[in-house]
Each structure stands twice: as structure tokens, then as C-alpha cells.
Amino acid sequence: MELEAIYKRVIGLDVHQAQVTACALIEQSDGTTRAEQRQFGAFKRDRRALAQWAAALSPDEVVMESTGIYWKSPYAALEAVGIHAKVVNARHVKNVPGRKTDVADAQWLAMLARAGLLRASFVPPARFRELRLVARQRQNLVGQLAAEKNRLHKVLTDSGVRLGVVVSNLHGQSARAMVRAIIAGQPPHEVLKYASRRLRASREDIFDALQGDLSASHLFVLNELLAHIEEIEARIARFDARLLEGLATEREALALLQTIPGVDQIGAAMLLVEIGTDMDVFGSADRLASWAGVCPGNNESAGKRKSGHMRRGNRYVRRLLCEFAHAASRTQCVFKSKFQALVIRRGYKRSIIAIGHKILRTIFFMLKRGEHYRDSATDYEALSVQRNAPRWIKALTKFGFIEPTRV
């Protein structure tokens, strides 16, 4: 039994680092099918030749595997000539082992595409793909920053300075000033002057925590670590500015996402460049969650439910959703109550993933409908009035808008 042809002109591309193998299946006027196979290199001139060859055939479908990052430059070359190729999951088009060659893989892709059996993966517009580079590098820098901060804490502890015991954040404004003073070689009673009065620890405890045995090597390493930390922080600030500048036209979507508990401006921007603003490409919230890899997998055979491990999905989106879930679980909202109900029986990590899943589904409907977040458990307007009413009344009375109450 042969596969029924839905498309008459298709091209399958087997993409590798150094070459691209192409197979075109063209249905002739007499009903026969002509196969044309070509091989192209991976350089710019080769990608341009590939795009020109594909455009000359006027294909109905062009498909390629999502092989690492190698598919991106051929995809952009095809996009430049008006061809929007389908990037498909390699697991969905796996050929029979023992019969695999580059030519056979390209032909197999073309056959499946001709029968309409392939579903394209989500590929954002070119503008968002470029901003993805900025957002993902920013995430890498944040990881480097956290690692360097931990190293600085470790070196301080190694020298006997227990500053981390008396401050909640070793890199807050007050603690950073004290670390700089320590590196400058100031004695503990001078370093103590930089301690904020808002610190909960007593002055005696802070003074005792500053006592240590810092050698010349300790001071050298601390100085280099602090310089590197400040350099990374400045670099992250530049990445933030570049990311927000690139999303200047998406202010409405950014504002919508920031109404969700736990989502700040940078988090909203980094999520937008990953999932885009057009939710019609996913079709449903279930498909979006499956693509991101934050929902259980389906694995059933002979009526038996097997392991439901999550798929890998988009690790950048999953990381952002976990950050949002951590923050939302500490605010007054429906996500907090859901987290508290789950964590008892499912554990902390699974509960965080479940809250991230719920947040992503909420984001889908918000972007699709263009509506801001409305919490089903908390009236934020009433909460704001409750917190600020005394201050508002005092100000209105001061400027004569209402009469002062008399007892």
C-alpha cells in the first residue's frame, strides 16, 4: 500500500554541518513522479544556491529535520526567497536503522511531506529569532553570575569571615560595601561603618562576623571575583536594554504578562521571544504546554499506563516558568493556594512544575484574548485599597479634599 499523495511538489532536506542533501519529488502532468536529488555545501554561497534551486521548483512543501542548530542558516536562506520551510522533529521522521544514508533520509522526508504526514515545529519570526540570541545569552550570564557569587562567598568563608551569617543577601548594597572595605584592607571596626542600620543582626554580631584571617591570596582572589561579578552585572544590564529595545513594539503584550504574579518585565520579555505573541500557531494551550515540556507525557500500551516522564521541550521556557512559579508561590494569589495543596502530596519540585504549567496555560489565553490577568482568589483592587486607604485619606484631608473627622 502506497502513501496517498496530497502535495504534488515537495522537497526534503537532510541538513548536516558541512552539507545539505536535497531530494525533490515532482509530480508530472502524466501522473508520474520525478525525483531530483542534489547536494549543497554549508557556506553562504551554497545556501544561496540551495534557495535559488528550491525557488525554481516552486514547491508546495519544503521540510527539514531540526538537527541541532544546523537547520537555522538554510532556513533563513529559504525564508529570504519566500519559502517557509517546515522544521520537523527528528524523532517523528526516524528512518529504519540499517538503511540510513543522507540521500535516503532526504527522500524519506520528501515522501512523508508529500503524503502530508509531517507537522511543523514552531519557528518564531526572524525578529524574535534574533532576540532569542540576546535572551538566551542573558540566561547564561545569570548562571555565571550566580556561580561567581557563590565562589566569593566560599572564599570569604575560607578566610574565616562569616558575613553570610549576619546578612540575608551577601550582595546587597550594605554587604557589597562591606566586602569592598574588606578587600581594601580596612580593619573590622572601619568595615562596620558600612553596615546598614536596617540589618537585623546586632552590631556586635556583625563585628564578630567580620573577624577573619585574610591572607594576600584571599584578598587577591576576592578582588578578582568582585571585579568579575560587577563586570557580569554591567553586561547583563546591557543585555536587558538591548532586549527591551528590540521589543519596543510589543509593549502591550509585555504589560499584559506583567500583571501575572511572579512575572517581571525582563521575565516577560524573555518569555515573549521564546513563544511569540501569536498563539494561533500553537492552536491550544495543551499544545503550547507540550511544546514547552511542562506537562506529563502519554505512554499507554495494552490499556496500561506506563511512565509519564515529561519530554525535553524548550529548556529556556521551562526555566523561566519555574522562576515564575517560585515567585508566584510566595504571593497572595490562586497559584499560591494551588502550590500549597500540591506540595503536601506531590513534593516541592513536581509542584513547581505544575504551577509553571498552570502559568503557561494562563499566558496562552491572555495573549490570545488580549486580556490582563484576573485572579480568581484575590481581588487586587480591594487589596490595594486596603493597604493604601489610610495614606490616601490622610493626603486628601491634608489638601482639603475631605473634611477632617471630629471626635
Side-chain angles (χ1 to χ4, degrees), residues 14 74 79 95 103 107 122 129 174:
D14 187 45
E79 193 177 40
N95 209 337
V103 174
Q107 187 175 7
F122 168 63
R129 293 203 303 272
S174 178

Side-chain angles (χ1 to χ4, degrees), residues 96-112:
V96 180
R99 302 180 185 179
K100 277 179 56 62
T101 64
D102 293 342
V103 174
D105 283 349
Q107 187 175 7
W108 177 243
L109 280 170
M111 290 174 59
L112 294 177

Side-chain angles (χ1 to χ4, degrees), residues 38-345:
R38 297 282 297 273
Q39 279 194 344
F40 300 90
F43 301 132
K44 184 175 181 178
R45 63 176 182 274
D46 303 313
R47 297 194 299 269
R48 189 183 297 116
L50 167 65
Q52 292 172 354
W53 172 78
L57 295 177
S58 301
D60 301 322
E61 289 284 320
V62 177
V63 297
M64 64 176 71
E65 290 183 6
S66 56
T67 310
I69 61 172
Y70 302 136
W71 64 270
K72 294 186 177 182
S73 49
Y75 183 93
L78 292 170
E79 193 177 40
V81 296
I83 298 176
H84 294 279
K86 279 186 176 180
V87 181
V88 298
N89 192 327
R91 294 180 62 186
H92 299 168
V93 294
K94 205 168 187 179
N95 209 337
V96 180
R99 302 180 185 179
K100 277 179 56 62
T101 64
D102 293 342
V103 174
D105 283 349
Q107 187 175 7
W108 177 243
L109 280 170
M111 290 174 59
L112 294 177
R114 190 165 179 254
L117 296 177
L118 299 181
R119 187 172 69 187
S121 300
F122 168 63
V123 179
R127 181 169 62 91
F128 282 171
R129 293 203 303 272
E130 292 179 4
L131 290 175
R132 270 185 173 185
L133 296 175
V134 180
R136 292 180 176 183
Q137 181 59 24
R138 184 196 181 276
Q139 283 202 16
N140 294 335
L141 288 174
V142 170
Q144 294 177 25
L145 180 62
E148 290 295 87
K149 287 181 175 180
N150 289 337
R151 290 190 186 100
L152 187 140
H153 188 188
K154 182 178 179 180
V155 174
L156 280 175
T157 305
D158 182 77
S159 67
V161 176
R162 296 295 191 267
L163 190 58
V165 177
V166 294
V167 297
S168 59
N169 181 11
L170 193 58
H171 297 275
Q173 183 177 3
S174 178
R176 178 70 63 85
M178 286 190 283
V179 170
R180 286 199 188 97
I182 290 172
I183 295 173
Q186 297 183 20
H189 66 273
E190 292 291 336
V191 177
L192 190 61
K193 296 179 181 178
Y194 297 98
S196 173
R197 296 293 178 182
R198 300 175 62 184
L199 293 176
R200 293 185 178 181
S202 66
R203 312 297 285 182
E204 292 76 12
D205 289 342
I206 298 175
F207 181 79
D208 291 339
L210 294 172
Q211 304 289 332
D213 301 309
L214 286 95
S215 65
S217 296
H218 284 124
L219 294 175
F220 172 77
V221 174
L222 287 173
N223 185 47
E224 292 297 322
L225 284 174
L226 185 58
H228 194 201
I229 287 171
E230 293 177 344
E231 178 190 352
I232 295 176
E233 288 174 343
R235 191 173 298 173
I236 290 175
R238 293 196 295 271
F239 272 79
D240 291 345
R242 177 66 182 87
L243 183 60
L244 295 177
E245 179 186 353
L247 291 173
T249 58
E250 306 294 341
R251 290 195 183 98
E252 293 184 4
L254 284 174
L256 283 180
L257 295 188
Q258 289 178 71
T259 61
I260 303 176
V263 180
D264 61 357
Q265 186 181 35
I266 294 299
M270 294 177 69
L271 184 65
L272 273 185
V273 300
E274 293 292 340
I275 67 174
T277 56
D278 183 14
M279 294 295 102
D280 291 335
V281 297
F282 294 104
S284 68
D286 294 335
R287 285 188 177 178
L288 174 58
S290 176
W291 171 82
V294 292
C295 63
N298 288 328
N299 187 4
E300 182 177 347
S301 180
K304 295 181 180 179
R305 289 281 300 174
K306 299 184 179 180
S307 174
H309 287 303
M310 297 185 305
R311 56 183 295 183
R312 292 180 62 182
N314 187 311
R315 62 189 179 95
Y316 298 97
V317 172
R318 188 164 60 247
R319 176 177 174 178
L320 286 170
L321 292 175
C322 288
E323 291 177 2
F324 298 161
H326 277 289
S329 66
R330 290 166 171 78
T331 61
Q332 190 170 350
C333 64
V334 69
F335 299 122
K336 179 179 181 179
S337 57
K338 181 70 174 177
F339 173 79
Q340 291 174 339
L342 286 172
V343 71
I344 299 173
R345 54 190 176 87

